[in-house]
Amino acid sequence: MCGELRASDAGSKVVLMGWVNRRRDLGNLIFLDLRDRSGVTQVVITADAGAEVHDRATAVRSEFVVAVLGHVKLRDANTVNKNIPTGEIEVIADELRVLNDCKPLPFSPSDAVLANEEVRLKYRYIDLRRPELHRNIELRHQVAIAIRDHLNAQGFYEIETPFMTRSTPEGARDYLVPSRVHAGKFYALPQSPQLFKQILMISGFDKYFQIVRCFRDEDLRADRQPEFTQIDLEISFARPEIVFHTVEGFLKAAFATIGVDLATPFPQTSYDQAIRLYGIDKPDLRLPAMTHVREAFAAENLETLHVDSELPVVAIVIPKVGELSRKERDEIKAMFGDRKDAKVFEDLKRLEKSFPEAVAKIRELAKPNPEDLVVIVAGAKRTEPASAVKSGQQAYGVYSAAGQLRLALGQRYAERHGAYKHGNFRLLWVTDFPMFEWDETEQRWNAAHHPFTSPHEQDMDKLESDPGGVRALAYDVVLNGTELGSGSIRIHRQDIQSKIFKAMGMSPEEQQARFGFFLEALQYGTPPHGGIALGLDRIVMILAGAESLREVIPFPKTAKAIDLMVDAPTPVSERQLKELGIAVVGKKDL
RNA sequence: GGGGUCGUAGUUCAGUUGGUUAGAACGCUGCCCUGUCACGGCAGAGGCCGCGGGUUCGAGUCCCGUCGACCCCGCCA
C-alpha cells in the first residue's frame, strides 16, 4: 500500500491504487503524491512512460482515484524527503490509469488549514479522508478491540439488548419510535441497557458486557452527542472492587494501544472528599488539590474580611504561573464573577500586608512554590443564621465556586503549568455518591445515579428520615476532569427497590405501571450484582488528544442534533404519519 | 430556554471614520517549466458581503430581527 514501501523494496514492481493527494507538474516531469489509508507515496511520471501516460498525469487533479503500475526506486540523496515515512523511495510509473475523476472539491483533505466545521460535516466523506481523522477512527477500532479481547479473556459474554424498548420518563429525554402495529404507542431508544443487563444477571449470565449505542435527547456539548457508545458491563456477586479491577484491566489494555502504560489500581476518593478538595465530583488530578486554610485566620481577621467563620476557606494553587499583572489579577475576579455566597482574594501579597501571620500560615499549609499562583476563596458573611441543611448547601456553594475557579485558572494558565499537555493521564475513582438529590422544580428527591443503585448498608435506616444523607454504592471513573463512566452495586431485593421508588415519591401503583416487570423479576432469585458503563467516545477522544467528540465519531451531529451530511431529521410524508396514527402539530401550537 | 464567538469568492481570510469598480492566498481554467514534495512563473474566470428589515444622499461597515456553525450555563436517572 501507499504508506508501506521502504528502501528495502527498491527495485520491486508494484501496483498502487489510491487518491491523488497532490500533483506537482514540472512540465515533462510530474510528481503525484498518492494516498491511501496507510499513507502517502510519491509517484514520478517521466517522459519515459510515454505520451499517453504523461497526458493522463497532466489531466489528473486532487482526489482523482488512480492506479499506478511501476517500480520502486531509491531516491537520490538530495531528493530524500525526511518528513514522510516513504521519503527514501519513490515509484517510477510505467502505467497510469484513472479509475475515477473528482470534481473540484469544496475543500481538500490535504489542506493545511481546516475548512469550517459546517462544510466539513456536510462533506464528511471528504473530511474523513484526512489522515488525522483516519488515525482517530483507527484508534477507536483498536481501543474497542482491545477492550473486547480483554473482557472476553476475563470470561465476559458480549450480549445484545434491544434498541426498541420501553420509555422510562426518569433521567434524560427519550428518543421515541412510533409503533405502526399499535397506533398511538411508542418504543423508546435506550438511554442505556440498564434493566436488560440486570435481567441478564437474573438469568444467570454472570459476566455481561456490550459495546453499545445509547440515545439521550438532551442538548449537546463538545463531549456529548445524542447517540454515543458505551462500554456497558455487569457482574453477578460483585463488590465495587471487582468492578474497579475489571475496568482498570480493560482501560490498561485500551491505553496500551497508544503505548501508555497505565498505573493500576487507580486512586480512590469519596464524593465528600472530592467536593472538599476539588469542589467538583469529577476532580482533575493534573492540578493540585485545594487546601483548607480557615484555621490560618484569626476570628477577627475573618470578621474584617467579611468572611463567614463557619464556611470553608480554601486556597487554590496553580503551579508555575509566575508574577501576575494588575490586569491579570482583575481577570481572575472576572472569572470568579459576582457572587453573593462566596468571595475571592486573588492577591496574596496584598492580603499579606494586612494579615502577615495568616498568609504565613497559608503558605505553610498549601506549600506553594515561589512561582505558584495562590488564590483564596471563602464564604461570604451570611446575614441570617442558617439551618444545618442550608449550611451544608452553602459550604458546597463555596467549594463549587472555588472548584470552578480552579479549573478556569487551570485553563487560563495551561501553557505555564504544562500539566494539560497530552499524555498526562490521571485516573481516579470517586465513590460514595449521595443516593438522592433534591429536585427544586419537582419538589421531590431524585436518584442521583439511577434508582436501581443500592444504598449503603449503614444508611438504610435513613431512607425515610434523611434521604439526603443516604450514601449510594455508586462510583464514577474520572480521567483528567472528565467523567468516563459511572456505575453502582444494584439493588437485588424487591422490598428495597420498592422503598427507593417510594422515597422518590412514586406510589405503589406508579411503580407497578412503570417497573412492574422488573419488580416481579427481582423476586425470582436475583443474585447480588453490580456494574458500570463507560463512554467509549470520550475515552477515544482523550486518547486521541481531540477537543471534541466529533473528531472520533465518523458521522456526528451538530450542536442542534442535526446530521448535515444526510440532512436529518426531516419531515415525513402524510402517508407515513397516517400509517402510524400520528398528527403533527406545529411547535408554535404547543 | 439563557450567555458568548463567528458568518465576505469553492476554501481560508483582509476590508480603515459609513464614501467611487469589495481585495489577497490556496483551489479552478489556459499557457510555460525534468527533481518537485505547501514546486515555481505568466494570464484569466469566479461575489445576493448568511437572510429580512431599518437609519442614511450613500451600508460589507451602524441599528433591529432572523437563520446557521461553534463554545459555555441550564439540561444530561
Side-chain angles (χ1 to χ4, degrees), chain A residues 52-326:
Chain A
E52 212 178 313
V53 166
H54 185 269
D55 285 353
R56 275 186 231 136
T58 304
V60 152
R61 292 292 177 275
S62 282
E63 300 304 304
F64 273 41
V65 185
V66 301
V68 171
L69 190 88
H71 55 277
V72 181
K73 178 182 154 274
L74 270 182
R75 294 199 196 184
D76 296 339
N78 58 329
T79 62
V80 165
N81 184 347
K82 293 189 203 84
N83 301 321
I84 55 172
T86 59
E88 283 184 74
I89 55 96
E90 58 196 0
V91 170
I92 310 298
D94 300 316
E95 178 63 88
L96 169 78
R97 292 220 184 102
V98 174
L99 303 178
N100 213 341
D101 61 2
C102 176
K103 294 207 309 181
L105 296 145
F107 63 96
S108 163
S110 63
D111 280 348
V113 274
L114 292 182
N116 78 49
E117 195 138 17
E118 210 170 337
V119 183
R120 287 171 50 204
L121 287 172
K122 178 166 180 197
Y123 300 97
R124 186 64 171 174
Y125 42 90
I126 298 171
D127 199 31
L128 282 170
R129 285 181 194 167
R130 289 165 44 226
E132 290 80 5
L133 283 188
H134 259 265
R135 264 204 300 279
N136 290 353
I137 301 301
E138 187 202 339
L139 175 64
R140 189 182 173 115
H141 162 75
Q142 298 296 356
V143 167
I145 293 282
I147 292 171
R148 274 208 172 87
D149 283 350
H150 179 86
L151 289 173
N152 177 53
Q154 300 292 312
F156 284 78
Y157 291 172
E158 182 163 24
I159 306 175
E160 289 168 282
T161 51
F163 272 6
M164 286 167 31
T165 177
R166 206 195 136 90
S167 176
T168 51
E170 286 78 24
R173 271 182 288 267
D174 287 321
Y175 278 103
L176 296 176
V177 180
S179 161
R180 173 185 58 83
V181 182
H182 306 278
K185 293 188 178 175
F186 297 82
Y187 303 94
L189 302 179
Q191 297 173 24
S192 85
Q194 185 60 36
L195 287 177
F196 287 105
K197 69 173 173 177
Q198 290 193 240
I199 298 274
L200 284 170
M201 295 303 109
I202 299 175
S203 306
F205 293 98
D206 57 12
K207 285 179 176 177
Y208 143 94
F209 87 101
Q210 190 179 190
I211 297 184
V212 63
R213 203 68 59 83
C214 299
F215 307 86
R216 293 180 190 172
D217 185 5
E218 296 294 346
D219 289 340
L220 288 79
R221 288 284 187 285
D223 63 354
R224 262 163 41 192
Q225 283 270 317
E227 48 178 313
F228 59 99
T229 303
Q230 283 195 343
I231 303 148
D232 190 46
L233 66 87
E234 197 76 9
I235 306 170
S236 288
F237 313 108
R239 287 172 291 115
E241 297 72 43
I242 294 173
V243 177
F244 294 175
H245 186 250
T246 305
V247 171
E248 285 161 0
F250 77 64
L251 282 181
K252 203 176 172 74
F255 276 71
T257 62
I258 61 160
V260 171
D261 184 20
L262 217 54
T264 54
F266 308 154
Q268 297 179 21
T269 185
S270 71
Y271 170 88
D272 278 338
Q273 186 84 332
I275 298 298
R276 287 166 46 81
L277 291 181
Y278 301 92
I280 193 163
D281 62 357
K282 42 182 181 180
D284 190 337
L285 299 186
R286 291 175 300 177
L287 293 175
M290 308 188 295
T291 313
H292 287 248
V293 296
R294 193 173 64 202
E295 293 67 34
F297 292 93
E300 57 270 27
N301 293 166
L302 295 174
E303 194 66 33
T304 319
L305 291 165
H306 292 277
V307 164
D308 194 293
S309 60
E310 312 260 296
L311 293 175
V313 180
V314 296
I316 300 166
V317 177
I318 309 288
K320 299 179 195 158
V321 172
E323 203 71 23
L324 290 190
S325 66
R326 169 67 193 268

Side-chain angles (χ1 to χ4, degrees), chain A residues 320-338:
Chain A
K320 299 179 195 158
V321 172
E323 203 71 23
L324 290 190
S325 66
R326 169 67 193 268
K327 196 177 142 207
E328 287 173 311
R329 285 198 302 271
D330 285 346
E331 208 179 81
I332 295 176
K333 269 191 271 187
M335 276 181 207
F336 190 74
D338 218 3

